[in-house]
Amino acid sequence: MKKLFFILAALVAIALPKAAQAVDVEGVYAGGLGGINFLQYDKGHTKLDFKTGWLAGVDVGYRFCGGYRLEAEAVYRYNRTDKAKFKHSKSVHVGGHLRTWSFMVNGLYEIPLCWCITPYLGAGIGFD
């Protein structure tokens, strides 16, 4: 139940800033995003136990006539860890964290429906 709550909270945190951007005006827009981050690392012989982390980011884009958008986004993620398990051994206490940046460039199309939520079709490319 707790995991379902976190997943729903993350979806709401992602959807609200995007819903605020859904206006029919051509031009530059900017937004922010935040949420929770679930990180898993299991390579068979090594498993790290990461705590639920957080993320924050910004996006800047341009909305063209006809519902087309081009945007760039940068997101920072943070997770702490306190346990590592190696193959055939007990868990070992380790202290640490993982910080990552990811960058994306996205192309989007607003599907013109008369709903209270605007659906998008898009593609992007990025890196961590």
Side-chain angles (χ1 to χ4, degrees):
M1 184 69 173
K2 189 175 180 182
K3 192 175 239 184
L4 177 62
F5 171 76
F6 282 124
I7 292 170
L8 290 175
L11 291 173
V12 168
I14 291 168
L16 285 179
K18 298 298 181 188
Q21 295 172 0
V23 293
D24 292 330
V25 178
E26 181 179 353
V28 177
Y29 64 90
L33 59 106
I36 55 177
N37 186 35
F38 300 101
L39 180 61
Q40 297 178 4
Y41 181 88
D42 188 353
K43 291 292 184 185
H45 59 282
T46 305
K47 181 180 179 183
L48 295 175
D49 182 24
F50 284 98
K51 304 291 182 195
T52 301
W54 56 272
L55 64 89
V58 295
D59 61 347
V60 178
Y62 190 87
R63 184 181 186 280
F64 299 94
C65 288
Y68 294 98
R69 294 176 184 246
L70 183 62
E71 72 177 23
E73 79 178 37
V75 179
Y76 175 80
R77 291 175 175 82
Y78 179 86
N79 289 84
R80 290 181 344 133
T81 184
D82 62 359
K83 284 189 232 173
K85 182 166 175 66
F86 302 99
K87 191 173 186 177
H88 307 298
S89 70
K90 294 182 179 180
S91 292
V92 178
H93 177 72
V94 295
H97 59 268
L98 181 65
R99 300 176 192 194
T100 60
W101 280 95
S102 61
F103 303 94
M104 294 272 307
V105 175
N106 304 311
L108 302 165
Y109 174 68
E110 298 174 18
I111 300 171
L113 299 174
C114 295
W115 294 355
C116 60
I117 297 174
T118 304
Y120 291 89
L121 181 63
I125 188 166
F127 65 93
D128 278 336

